[in-house]
Amino acid sequence: MTYICPNCKRKLSGPNQYHSCFITDKETHLQKMSPTISELFEALLSYLITFEKLEIIYLKTCVQCKTGATFLSIYTKRNHLILEFQLQREEDQFPIYLCKRISKNRVLHRIAVGGLSEFDQQLKNWLKEAYQTIRK
């Protein structure tokens, strides 16, 4: 059952789910980034909007990409992006620097991306798989 926060109107899985009510916008995140990372961020968003039923929420600390539930969190930094996504399996290879089982069927992965050249087909495959994992 979906719960809607009375303050920020975000859809949550329940009334006790932790979240921040501070909603911001794309420009706020872009201001933090160098031009190279802004270009990477725009390329990433252009790829993600090709997914069906995608919702992008700009929060104070990150950008969440949802399809029902969050499948990708993007932490915007000056010189890189940190991407967090869930897969049904462990994928513990470079450039993934964190691989942590969070439930029987979900493994959290974290990767730092520092330029457009790092936004390769492997990363796109992982993001698509994360999207499909949550869509099930």
Side-chain angles (χ1 to χ4, degrees), residues 124-135:
K124 290 177 183 178
N125 291 344
W126 285 331
L127 296 178
K128 187 67 166 187
E129 184 179 343
Y131 167 79
Q132 292 168 340
T133 295
I134 298 300
R135 284 271 331 235

Side-chain angles (χ1 to χ4, degrees), residues 42-97:
E42 292 291 357
L44 175 60
L45 292 180
S46 293
Y47 173 69
L48 293 171
I49 62 171
T50 65
F51 297 0
E52 291 180 13
K53 298 182 181 178
L54 176 74
E55 180 182 8
I56 299 174
I57 302 172
Y58 296 93
L59 302 173
K60 180 180 180 181
T61 57
C62 70
V63 178
Q64 288 186 338
C65 301
K66 302 176 81 164
T67 179
T70 302
F71 73 92
L72 173 65
S73 295
I74 306 166
Y75 294 88
T76 55
K77 307 294 183 186
R78 173 117 182 101
N79 293 314
H80 65 284
L81 300 177
I82 297 174
L83 308 180
E84 283 188 353
F85 53 93
Q86 298 174 37
L87 301 177
Q88 291 182 325
R89 61 189 169 76
E90 292 183 18
E91 185 68 60
D92 194 10
Q93 65 175 327
F94 183 80
I96 293 173
Y97 68 87

